[in-house]
Short mmCIF file of all heavy atoms in Angstrom, two decimals:
data_model
loop_
_atom_site.label_atom_id
_atom_site.label_comp_id
_atom_site.label_asym_id
_atom_site.label_seq_id
_atom_site.Cartn_x
_atom_site.Cartn_y
_atom_site.Cartn_z
N VAL B 72 25.62 26.50 -32.42
CA VAL B 72 26.44 27.20 -33.52
C VAL B 72 27.77 26.49 -33.73
O VAL B 72 28.27 26.41 -34.81
CB VAL B 72 26.54 28.67 -33.20
CG1 VAL B 72 27.62 29.34 -34.10
CG2 VAL B 72 25.14 29.36 -33.37
N GLN B 73 28.35 26.10 -32.56
CA GLN B 73 29.66 25.38 -32.61
C GLN B 73 29.53 23.89 -32.88
O GLN B 73 30.48 23.19 -32.74
CB GLN B 73 30.39 25.63 -31.29
CG GLN B 73 30.65 27.12 -30.97
CD GLN B 73 31.04 27.27 -29.54
OE1 GLN B 73 31.72 26.42 -28.93
NE2 GLN B 73 30.61 28.43 -28.90
N GLY B 74 28.31 23.46 -33.31
CA GLY B 74 28.13 22.11 -33.69
C GLY B 74 27.81 21.20 -32.54
O GLY B 74 27.78 19.97 -32.75
N ASP B 75 27.60 21.72 -31.28
CA ASP B 75 27.30 20.89 -30.14
C ASP B 75 25.81 20.95 -29.93
O ASP B 75 25.30 22.00 -29.45
CB ASP B 75 28.15 21.37 -28.94
CG ASP B 75 27.64 20.63 -27.75
OD1 ASP B 75 26.91 19.61 -27.82
OD2 ASP B 75 28.06 21.13 -26.54
N PHE B 76 25.04 19.94 -30.20
CA PHE B 76 23.63 19.98 -30.13
C PHE B 76 23.13 19.50 -28.74
O PHE B 76 22.02 19.30 -28.46
CB PHE B 76 22.99 19.15 -31.20
CG PHE B 76 23.23 19.75 -32.58
CD1 PHE B 76 24.23 19.20 -33.33
CD2 PHE B 76 22.55 20.86 -32.95
CE1 PHE B 76 24.49 19.81 -34.59
CE2 PHE B 76 22.78 21.48 -34.21
CZ PHE B 76 23.83 20.91 -35.03
N GLY B 77 24.05 19.32 -27.83
CA GLY B 77 23.68 19.12 -26.47
C GLY B 77 23.39 17.51 -26.25
O GLY B 77 23.61 16.76 -27.10
N GLU B 78 22.85 17.28 -25.08
CA GLU B 78 22.50 15.88 -24.73
C GLU B 78 21.01 15.79 -24.55
O GLU B 78 20.36 16.67 -24.09
CB GLU B 78 23.24 15.55 -23.37
CG GLU B 78 24.68 15.59 -23.51
CD GLU B 78 25.36 14.64 -22.54
OE1 GLU B 78 24.63 13.97 -21.78
OE2 GLU B 78 26.57 14.61 -22.54
N SER B 79 20.54 14.59 -24.95
CA SER B 79 19.10 14.36 -24.69
C SER B 79 18.86 14.25 -23.23
O SER B 79 19.77 13.85 -22.44
CB SER B 79 18.78 13.01 -25.28
OG SER B 79 17.65 12.52 -24.76
N LEU B 80 17.71 14.69 -22.84
CA LEU B 80 17.41 14.65 -21.38
C LEU B 80 17.05 13.19 -20.91
O LEU B 80 17.02 12.86 -19.76
CB LEU B 80 16.16 15.56 -21.10
CG LEU B 80 16.50 17.10 -21.32
CD1 LEU B 80 15.17 17.83 -21.08
CD2 LEU B 80 17.59 17.55 -20.30
N PHE B 81 16.66 12.34 -21.90
CA PHE B 81 16.22 11.03 -21.51
C PHE B 81 17.26 9.99 -21.90
O PHE B 81 17.51 9.04 -21.12
CB PHE B 81 14.88 10.72 -22.23
CG PHE B 81 13.76 11.41 -21.54
CD1 PHE B 81 13.46 12.69 -21.87
CD2 PHE B 81 13.07 10.79 -20.53
CE1 PHE B 81 12.42 13.35 -21.14
CE2 PHE B 81 12.04 11.43 -19.89
CZ PHE B 81 11.72 12.70 -20.19
N PHE B 82 17.83 10.14 -23.12
CA PHE B 82 18.83 9.10 -23.50
C PHE B 82 20.20 9.58 -23.07
O PHE B 82 20.46 10.74 -23.00
CB PHE B 82 18.76 8.97 -25.03
CG PHE B 82 17.43 8.39 -25.52
CD1 PHE B 82 16.41 9.26 -25.94
CD2 PHE B 82 17.21 7.07 -25.56
CE1 PHE B 82 15.26 8.76 -26.44
CE2 PHE B 82 16.09 6.51 -26.05
CZ PHE B 82 14.93 7.41 -26.45
N PRO B 83 21.02 8.61 -22.81
CA PRO B 83 22.41 9.00 -22.36
C PRO B 83 23.23 9.49 -23.52
O PRO B 83 24.26 10.18 -23.25
CB PRO B 83 22.98 7.73 -21.71
CG PRO B 83 22.15 6.61 -22.34
CD PRO B 83 20.80 7.18 -22.71
N ASP B 84 22.79 9.23 -24.70
CA ASP B 84 23.71 9.64 -25.82
C ASP B 84 23.59 11.14 -26.11
O ASP B 84 22.59 11.85 -25.66
CB ASP B 84 23.15 8.87 -27.16
CG ASP B 84 22.70 7.56 -26.94
OD1 ASP B 84 21.62 7.29 -26.42
OD2 ASP B 84 23.58 6.63 -27.12
N THR B 85 24.47 11.63 -26.83
CA THR B 85 24.35 13.01 -27.33
C THR B 85 23.25 13.02 -28.38
O THR B 85 22.94 12.09 -28.94
CB THR B 85 25.68 13.57 -27.86
OG1 THR B 85 25.88 12.94 -29.13
CG2 THR B 85 26.82 13.40 -26.93
N VAL B 86 22.69 14.24 -28.49
CA VAL B 86 21.58 14.40 -29.50
C VAL B 86 22.12 14.07 -30.86
O VAL B 86 21.36 13.38 -31.62
CB VAL B 86 21.10 15.77 -29.47
CG1 VAL B 86 20.07 16.06 -30.56
CG2 VAL B 86 20.44 16.13 -28.10
N TRP B 87 23.33 14.44 -31.19
CA TRP B 87 23.79 14.15 -32.53
C TRP B 87 23.88 12.65 -32.78
O TRP B 87 23.48 12.15 -33.81
CB TRP B 87 25.10 14.85 -32.79
CG TRP B 87 25.56 14.75 -34.23
CD1 TRP B 87 26.55 14.06 -34.74
CD2 TRP B 87 24.80 15.31 -35.33
NE1 TRP B 87 26.54 14.22 -36.10
CE2 TRP B 87 25.43 14.91 -36.41
CE3 TRP B 87 23.65 16.04 -35.41
CZ2 TRP B 87 25.02 15.35 -37.75
CZ3 TRP B 87 23.20 16.37 -36.71
CH2 TRP B 87 23.89 16.02 -37.79
N GLU B 88 24.37 11.89 -31.81
CA GLU B 88 24.46 10.42 -32.00
C GLU B 88 23.06 9.81 -32.25
O GLU B 88 22.83 9.03 -33.18
CB GLU B 88 25.02 9.80 -30.69
CG GLU B 88 26.49 9.93 -30.50
CD GLU B 88 26.97 9.57 -29.15
OE1 GLU B 88 26.09 9.25 -28.29
OE2 GLU B 88 28.14 9.65 -28.89
N LEU B 89 22.09 10.31 -31.40
CA LEU B 89 20.76 9.88 -31.43
C LEU B 89 20.19 10.13 -32.74
O LEU B 89 19.56 9.22 -33.38
CB LEU B 89 20.02 10.51 -30.29
CG LEU B 89 18.77 9.95 -29.78
CD1 LEU B 89 19.10 8.53 -29.22
CD2 LEU B 89 18.12 10.87 -28.71
N VAL B 90 20.24 11.30 -33.17
CA VAL B 90 19.55 11.70 -34.36
C VAL B 90 20.17 11.11 -35.67
O VAL B 90 19.60 10.64 -36.53
CB VAL B 90 19.48 13.26 -34.51
CG1 VAL B 90 18.96 13.71 -35.85
CG2 VAL B 90 18.56 13.86 -33.41
N SER B 91 21.57 11.16 -35.66
CA SER B 91 22.23 10.68 -36.81
C SER B 91 22.03 9.23 -36.97
O SER B 91 22.03 8.62 -38.13
CB SER B 91 23.66 11.09 -36.85
OG SER B 91 24.36 10.58 -35.74
N SER B 92 21.91 8.44 -35.95
CA SER B 92 21.68 7.03 -36.04
C SER B 92 20.33 6.69 -36.55
O SER B 92 20.10 5.60 -37.07
CB SER B 92 21.99 6.34 -34.68
OG SER B 92 20.91 6.60 -33.80
N ARG B 93 19.32 7.61 -36.39
CA ARG B 93 18.01 7.32 -36.75
C ARG B 93 17.61 7.98 -38.09
O ARG B 93 16.57 7.62 -38.68
CB ARG B 93 17.01 7.67 -35.64
CG ARG B 93 17.25 6.96 -34.41
CD ARG B 93 16.27 7.33 -33.40
NE ARG B 93 16.66 6.64 -32.12
CZ ARG B 93 15.73 6.15 -31.24
NH1 ARG B 93 14.41 6.32 -31.54
NH2 ARG B 93 16.02 5.65 -30.18
N LEU B 94 18.33 8.95 -38.47
CA LEU B 94 17.96 9.69 -39.69
C LEU B 94 17.93 8.84 -40.94
O LEU B 94 16.94 8.89 -41.77
CB LEU B 94 18.93 10.84 -39.92
CG LEU B 94 18.54 11.88 -40.99
CD1 LEU B 94 17.23 12.45 -40.69
CD2 LEU B 94 19.61 12.91 -41.13
N PRO B 95 18.90 7.92 -41.14
CA PRO B 95 18.91 7.12 -42.39
C PRO B 95 17.51 6.36 -42.58
O PRO B 95 17.06 6.29 -43.69
CB PRO B 95 19.99 6.14 -42.29
CG PRO B 95 20.99 6.87 -41.34
CD PRO B 95 20.09 7.61 -40.34
N THR B 96 17.06 5.79 -41.49
CA THR B 96 15.80 5.01 -41.63
C THR B 96 14.64 5.87 -42.24
O THR B 96 13.95 5.51 -43.13
CB THR B 96 15.42 4.47 -40.28
OG1 THR B 96 16.47 3.62 -39.74
CG2 THR B 96 14.17 3.58 -40.40
N THR B 97 14.54 7.04 -41.62
CA THR B 97 13.38 7.95 -42.03
C THR B 97 13.63 8.41 -43.51
O THR B 97 12.73 8.43 -44.23
CB THR B 97 13.31 9.11 -41.04
OG1 THR B 97 13.17 8.58 -39.78
CG2 THR B 97 12.06 9.99 -41.40
N LEU B 98 14.86 8.75 -43.77
CA LEU B 98 15.17 9.19 -45.15
C LEU B 98 14.90 8.18 -46.15
O LEU B 98 14.24 8.40 -47.13
CB LEU B 98 16.63 9.64 -45.29
CG LEU B 98 16.93 11.08 -44.71
CD1 LEU B 98 18.33 11.43 -44.98
CD2 LEU B 98 15.98 12.10 -45.28
N ARG B 99 15.31 6.91 -45.83
CA ARG B 99 15.01 5.76 -46.74
C ARG B 99 13.51 5.67 -46.98
O ARG B 99 13.05 5.47 -48.06
CB ARG B 99 15.74 4.56 -46.13
CG ARG B 99 16.18 3.53 -47.17
CD ARG B 99 16.97 2.53 -46.42
NE ARG B 99 18.18 2.98 -45.89
CZ ARG B 99 18.84 2.40 -44.86
NH1 ARG B 99 18.32 1.32 -44.34
NH2 ARG B 99 19.90 2.86 -44.38
N LEU B 100 12.87 5.67 -45.86
CA LEU B 100 11.40 5.52 -45.88
C LEU B 100 10.72 6.60 -46.70
O LEU B 100 9.95 6.38 -47.62
CB LEU B 100 10.82 5.56 -44.43
CG LEU B 100 9.44 5.28 -44.17
CD1 LEU B 100 9.04 3.87 -44.75
CD2 LEU B 100 9.09 5.45 -42.73
N ALA B 101 11.07 7.82 -46.42
CA ALA B 101 10.52 9.04 -47.13
C ALA B 101 10.82 8.98 -48.62
O ALA B 101 9.91 9.21 -49.44
CB ALA B 101 10.82 10.29 -46.53
N MET B 102 12.08 8.73 -48.96
CA MET B 102 12.50 8.66 -50.30
C MET B 102 11.77 7.58 -51.07
O MET B 102 11.22 7.85 -52.15
CB MET B 102 14.00 8.31 -50.42
CG MET B 102 14.94 9.55 -50.12
SD MET B 102 14.68 10.91 -51.19
CE MET B 102 15.53 10.31 -52.64
N SER B 103 11.66 6.39 -50.54
CA SER B 103 10.99 5.35 -51.26
C SER B 103 9.51 5.63 -51.39
O SER B 103 8.89 5.36 -52.42
CB SER B 103 11.13 3.93 -50.60
OG SER B 103 11.72 4.00 -49.36
N GLY B 104 8.96 6.26 -50.33
CA GLY B 104 7.59 6.70 -50.39
C GLY B 104 7.30 7.69 -51.49
O GLY B 104 6.40 7.57 -52.28
N LEU B 105 8.23 8.71 -51.60
CA LEU B 105 8.07 9.67 -52.60
C LEU B 105 8.22 9.08 -54.00
O LEU B 105 7.41 9.44 -54.98
CB LEU B 105 9.07 10.77 -52.36
CG LEU B 105 8.91 12.05 -53.32
CD1 LEU B 105 7.61 12.72 -52.92
CD2 LEU B 105 10.09 12.96 -53.15
N ILE B 106 9.18 8.22 -54.11
CA ILE B 106 9.33 7.63 -55.49
C ILE B 106 8.16 6.80 -55.92
O ILE B 106 7.71 6.91 -57.02
CB ILE B 106 10.64 6.71 -55.43
CG1 ILE B 106 11.93 7.61 -55.31
CG2 ILE B 106 10.74 5.89 -56.67
CD1 ILE B 106 13.16 6.92 -55.06
#
Side-chain angles (χ1 to χ4, degrees):
Chain B
V72 167
Q73 297 165 35
D75 171 13
F76 296 100
E78 296 206 2
S79 159
L80 294 173
F81 285 84
F82 295 93
D84 322 80
T85 67
V86 172
W87 189 245
E88 284 166 358
L89 201 61
V90 171
S91 58
S92 71
R93 297 184 186 215
L94 189 59
T96 301
T97 305
L98 281 185
R99 209 170 295 154
L100 185 60
M102 284 299 284
S103 8
L105 189 65
I106 290 171

